Amino acid sequence: MSAQTATKVETATAVPRILGERAPKVTARNVDIYYGEKHAIKSLSVDIPDRAVSAFIGPSGCGKSTFLRSINRMNDTIPSCRVTGDIKVDNKDIYARDLDVVHLRARVGMVFQKPNPFPKSIYENVAYGPRIHGTASGKADMDDIVERSLRRASLWDEVKDRLNSPGTGLSGGQQQRLCIARAIAVNPEVILMDEPCSALDPIATARIEELIDELKQNYCIVIVTHSMQQAARVSQLTAFFHLGILVEVGDTDDIFTKPKDKRTQDYITGRFG
Amino acid sequence: MVLVYFGLMLLLSALAYYLGRGQASSLPRPLAALPTYHGARLALFAFFPMLGLFILWEAIVPRLLMSRAISSLPTDLQPADALSLSARTRELLAVVNGTPSADISETVRAAGQALASNLSMAGMILLVLGLAVAGAGVFWAKSQITQQLRARHTVEGTVNWLLIACSAIAILTTLGIVMSVVFETFQFFTKVSPVDFLFGTKWSPQTAIREDQVGSSGAFGFIPLFIGTLVVMIVAMCVAAPIGLFSAIYMAEYATPRVRAFAKPVLEILAGIPTVVYGFFAALTVAPLVRDIGRAAGFDVSSESALAAGIVMGVMITPFISSLADDVINAVPQAMRDGSYAMGATKSETVKKVVLPAALPGIVAAIMLAISKAIGETMIVVMAAGLAANLTLNPLNSVTTITVQIATMLVGDQEFDSAKTLSAFALGFVLFIFTLGLNIIALHIAKKYKEQYD
Ligand SMILES: Nc1ncnc2c1ncn2[C@@H]1O[C@H](COP(=O)(O)OP(=O)(O)OP(=O)(O)O)[C@@H](O)[C@H]1O
Ligand SMILES: [Mg+2]
């Protein structure tokens, strides 16, 4: 089985260099995803490297979010959605019967397109995850986790004087960084980001990109984006999706300079969308 | 005759509509208003003149004819006072309607018949006049139809006025009711001092009809009723708030679409049962049950108890709370839940820590509204809680509530200026202030909640 899939990947593209340097964190083999009758992802296989940023690009409706959400099983919340094939995180099948979804999601965090802070204080937003997982031992420890997470999300300086005011009162960019802080507070291994900057202005976007760049030291990050420049700036691996098919995946430099597939080339040069 | 008139009115309006639409369609385009608007405008010009004429005519002519008929009677039959006037009027009307009593005098009968023929003549005239005004209206309005005519504005304006008129009626009615209650309440307070009413602890409104009767001075202390209402309400909320809320959470968060499609309508049926039905359910089933269980457990339970009434009232309010809370919970954005699930929260953690806190203001508002509904409820309490104005906090006793007392005060023959009758208005007024306050608080909370996600 593994020999077979390995050849399959090779026929599509050569193994990206980044995967030579970093172990794959997430591996998908022959994944199909359906919404009822609709076949949203068709026989997808990909390796996602640890401690690096991988970008999913592709025209709207091609299934980027669908695949992303299947990596932490957020698709479970959609009754009509069905996933077949293998998706493994650290070589463990995440769709296995005995897998604890709650535990998986604590390891594979997610940041959404629209900032969605809870209607609670800034502090409580960040403390939410540690509280439900019981990772903090006492108030001082919790304070520490909150501060550390906010610092990593480079939000600390802006909010340290108003930790008790509502998270919904922040600006859009700050809210998104709060959501990132909230996600890293549970110490995940993978962070999935679905168009995290699409609701933000260029300055806030630049800050988030900086943040992503820093976070990749410790985390496996997957980001969906519609901005070619963003993908080129922050990612090391780029995967191009089209109509539910993973058309091409490779080192970001290669994809943007010498794409192998005509469709990839057309897309990144803006000839179709 | 009235039916014919209104039939004609609708018919003419419809005709005018087609006329106007037809004429506008034949105009060169572009039109300032679509032909349907021209049609509607013309219909208005048929409808409202006829309606106006009818109202005016009916307000004046029948009365005029009646007074002429009465004055045409010979002097010995002329009514001397208001009482005989209304008697005479009734006799005449009976003749007109063809149902005179046998002992009616020949002269009156003749006058009645003359009146009848006058009335039917008047009806004919009204029909003709109606046709004329509608025709004139339509004719004039039709001559106005041009390419530029802004028929849309006319129609829009009329709709606007119609809506204003309807809301004005609603508002004025409310005001009228409130004013009359306030007025009667003041009347009551001229007989019983407000202090005695608001702080008195004894309620026995039996005032004597004869001076020498025992207990001729009633006691109008409102506290027992207030406490009774409170006890029943608290029991009801103890039943309805948790059941309603939890069923709402189940419906909104846990139920599969199939269960939901089945359970929601069932809950709505529960909401549609008339309160009277709940009432006899309370009186015949729940109250004896409560009494028997209570007695078996060694408590002294009266056969009509606040507990029984409260339980049934709670059942009645449950669908109300659950449906409101369901809406509120559904209004919490899915993104909130996704955010929580993505952190590795379970369903119940998400509900408890994210969904409910976000929905809390709306839920509180729903419960407030439910309380004001519980306070205003009568039938169940009449049937199951009894009439005894006991000043007690014990739900096992029989109590009475504000609404029940209002109902009993006004049932049957009453003199309208006795303190007993008037006390009903004072009670109504207090009740009104109560529920108004609750509703205002509820609306205020709900409004605050709405702003949260914008
Ligand atoms: N809940 C759902 N039910 C049914 N079909 C869905 C659902 N969500 C997505 N789809 C369909 O699946 C396909 C892929 O959707 P997906 O959201 O993954 O696209 P995407 O690549 O993220 O697009 P975008 O860039 O616009 O976000 C689309 O055709 C979409 O219509
Ligand atoms: Mg998407």
Side-chain angles (χ1 to χ4, degrees):
Chain A
M1 166 94 186
S2 66
Q4 193 189 355
T5 49
T7 48
K8 222 175 187 174
V9 169
E10 248 152 14
T11 51
T13 51
V15 175
R17 288 186 305 281
I18 183 81
L19 281 163
E21 300 160 17
R22 307 261 196 281
K25 182 80 180 173
V26 180
T27 54
R29 290 293 175 270
N30 302 323
V31 174
D32 284 272
I33 306 180
Y34 305 84
Y35 291 108
E37 289 295 293
K38 182 170 169 65
H39 200 169
I41 289 288
K42 294 166 190 156
S43 184
L44 179 145
S45 298
V46 70
D47 287 342
I48 294 169
D50 199 4
R51 294 169 203 281
V53 180
S54 305
F56 291 174
I57 60 171
S60 197
C62 65
K64 306 178 297 289
S65 303
T66 302
F67 179 57
L68 192 76
R69 288 164 62 88
S70 70
I71 301 176
N72 71 343
R73 290 187 54 177
M74 282 302 283
N75 282 334
D76 291 11
T77 57
I78 302 168
S80 70
C81 187
R82 201 157 51 80
V83 181
T84 66
D86 284 344
I87 301 179
K88 291 183 176 163
V89 174
D90 281 340
N91 262 323
K92 289 235 173 61
D93 182 4
I94 60 167
Y95 283 86
R97 264 181 175 281
D98 59 349
L99 179 116
D100 182 5
V101 186
V102 165
H103 183 60
L104 170 74
R105 290 189 188 138
R107 286 168 57 213
V108 184
M110 187 156 198
V111 175
F112 296 83
Q113 175 171 4
K114 215 175 137 234
N116 59 348
F118 303 131
K120 299 171 181 285
S121 71
I122 293 171
Y123 183 97
E124 283 302 321
N125 261 282
V126 182
Y128 184 81
R131 259 197 228 297
I132 55 178
H133 296 300
T135 37
S137 55
K139 170 95 175 91
D141 195 22
M142 183 64 88
D143 289 349
D144 193 48
I145 292 177
V146 170
E147 177 172 347
R148 216 161 357 112
S149 308
L150 284 170
R151 276 193 195 284
R152 294 193 108 159
S154 65
L155 188 62
W156 175 253
D157 292 330
E158 286 157 73
V159 300
K160 63 170 183 272
D161 302 323
R162 47 171 172 150
L163 288 175
N164 289 320
S165 54
T168 39
L170 297 171
S171 78
Q174 290 172 326
Q175 287 188 12
Q176 195 62 303
R177 274 180 282 147
L178 179 62
C179 291
I180 294 176
R182 188 174 75 182
I184 52 193
V186 288
N187 232 342
E189 298 156 30
V190 183
I191 303 178
L192 310 172
M193 301 188 175
D194 194 348
E195 302 181 41
C197 302
S198 65
L200 305 183
D201 72 23
I203 295 169
T205 301
R207 299 209 58 169
I208 304 260
E209 285 182 10
E210 256 169 54
L211 177 60
I212 292 173
D213 207 53
E214 259 177 70
L215 292 175
K216 78 162 190 275
Q217 316 288 335
N218 301 301
Y219 302 96
C220 165
I221 294 176
V222 186
I223 176 172
V224 171
T225 177
H226 277 151
S227 154
M228 296 306 111
Q229 291 87 339
Q230 184 168 63
R233 277 194 302 262
V234 301
S235 74
Q236 286 76 54
L237 184 95
T238 298
F240 172 65
F241 289 66
H242 185 231
L243 297 175
I245 296 169
L246 177 64
V247 174
E248 186 169 354
V249 54
D251 290 295
T252 301
D253 298 342
D254 294 350
I255 294 279
F256 282 97
T257 52
K258 38 183 195 280
K260 295 201 180 69
D261 197 286
K262 177 83 170 55
R263 287 166 293 182
T264 319
Q265 188 171 9
D266 285 350
Y267 183 70
I268 60 179
T269 52
R271 250 174 301 208
F272 78 73
Chain B
M1 193 52 87
V2 174
L3 270 184
V4 175
Y5 188 85
F6 275 88
L8 197 68
M9 191 157 94
L10 294 179
L11 190 71
L12 283 181
S13 306
L15 276 180
Y17 175 80
Y18 285 110
L19 203 66
R21 202 177 65 170
Q23 181 173 347
S25 310
S26 63
L27 287 174
R29 307 260 162 162
L31 292 171
L34 289 176
T36 48
Y37 281 105
H38 284 284
R41 172 173 168 273
L42 229 56
L44 293 178
F45 273 94
F47 187 84
F48 280 106
M50 279 190 84
L51 185 66
L53 177 75
F54 181 80
I55 292 171
L56 217 64
W57 188 273
E58 284 300 311
I60 298 169
V61 176
R63 259 177 241 204
L64 213 68
L65 292 179
M66 175 61 81
S67 70
R68 266 190 49 192
I70 287 173
S71 58
S72 76
L73 292 170
T75 15
D76 58 325
L77 282 174
Q78 283 292 329
D81 50 19
L83 208 62
S84 60
L85 176 66
S86 81
R88 200 63 75 234
T89 309
R90 234 177 294 137
E91 281 169 14
L92 284 169
L93 276 181
V95 178
V96 169
N97 291 332
T99 54
S101 51
D103 58 348
I104 217 162
S105 77
E106 250 342 286
T107 10
V108 174
R109 194 182 290 264
Q113 269 144 11
L115 176 62
S117 76
N118 280 345
L119 277 172
S120 73
M121 174 63 90
M124 294 310 285
I125 295 173
L126 173 63
L127 263 185
V128 174
L129 273 181
L131 268 177
V133 291
V138 171
F139 182 76
W140 179 80
K142 190 168 174 298
S143 72
Q144 299 271 303
I145 294 181
T146 61
Q147 204 184 344
Q148 289 84 29
L149 180 71
R150 296 179 167 181
R152 211 142 58 119
H153 290 229
T154 319
V155 175
E156 215 42 51
T158 314
V159 169
N160 189 6
W161 278 109
L162 268 180
L163 297 181
I164 290 178
C166 287
S167 23
I169 289 174
I171 292 170
L172 288 179
T173 321
T174 314
L175 268 183
I177 292 173
V178 172
M179 291 315 289
S180 100
V181 170
V182 169
F183 178 76
E184 303 290 349
T185 304
F186 273 109
Q187 291 259 299
F188 173 70
F189 283 144
T190 58
K191 293 173 194 285
V192 175
S193 105
V195 177
D196 288 350
F197 176 71
L198 287 177
F199 302 107
T201 54
K202 189 167 180 325
W203 178 266
S204 79
Q206 270 60 29
T207 40
I209 297 169
R210 290 194 322 276
E211 288 295 313
D212 54 344
Q213 223 167 359
V214 272
S216 60
S217 62
F220 292 94
F222 148 87
I223 297 290
L225 306 189
F226 177 72
I227 299 293
T229 308
L230 209 64
V231 170
V232 174
M233 189 257 305
I234 288 172
V235 173
M237 294 319 292
C238 285
V239 172
I243 297 181
L245 187 57
F246 289 142
S247 70
I249 292 173
Y250 173 71
M251 290 291 179
E253 299 288 328
Y254 288 86
T256 59
R258 248 212 247 137
V259 173
R260 202 179 147 86
F262 164 76
K264 266 230 121 164
V266 172
L267 267 180
E268 265 143 37
I269 291 176
L270 204 57
I273 297 175
T275 58
V276 148
V277 177
Y278 279 111
F280 57 71
F281 173 61
L284 300 182
T285 313
V286 178
L289 195 71
V290 164
R291 183 197 54 204
D292 294 345
I293 292 175
R295 294 211 173 139
F299 291 108
D300 182 25
V301 187
S302 58
S303 53
E304 291 175 319
S305 64
L307 188 62
I311 288 173
V312 176
M313 192 188 281
V315 172
M316 181 197 82
I317 298 171
T318 299
F320 182 75
I321 293 188
S322 111
S323 143
L324 281 179
D326 185 34
D327 291 347
V328 174
I329 291 173
N330 273 321
V332 175
Q334 181 62 31
M336 254 357 121
R337 298 184 183 90
D338 284 350
S340 172
Y341 291 138
M343 313 269 317
T346 61
K347 194 154 210 164
S348 71
E349 282 166 345
T350 303
V351 168
K352 201 168 63 196
K353 300 202 168 175
V354 174
V355 177
L356 284 188
L360 191 64
I363 292 172
V364 172
I367 289 179
M368 292 285 200
L369 289 178
I371 290 178
S372 76
K373 212 171 141 90
I375 293 179
E377 171 50 36
T378 317
M379 283 328 289
I380 295 173
V381 204
V382 168
M383 292 167 138
L387 290 172
N390 293 325
L391 179 53
T392 172
L393 282 171
N394 181 356
L396 302 178
N397 280 346
S398 107
V399 296
T400 192
T401 67
I402 300 176
T403 48
V404 169
Q405 285 307 313
I406 295 176
T408 47
M409 292 301 106
L410 298 181
V411 168
D413 289 335
Q414 302 290 345
E415 345 160 40
F416 236 106
D417 51 355
S418 76
K420 183 182 170 191
T421 316
L422 287 173
S423 71
F425 289 93
L427 288 176
F429 185 64
V430 176
L431 192 64
F432 169 71
I433 297 290
F434 253 30
T435 46
L436 184 71
L438 280 172
N439 288 0
I440 288 175
I441 295 173
L443 284 179
H444 184 74
I445 296 172
K447 196 174 121 210
K448 245 182 144 175
Y449 160 73
K450 246 188 200 148
E451 288 157 1
Q452 211 171 62
Y453 301 120
D454 300 338

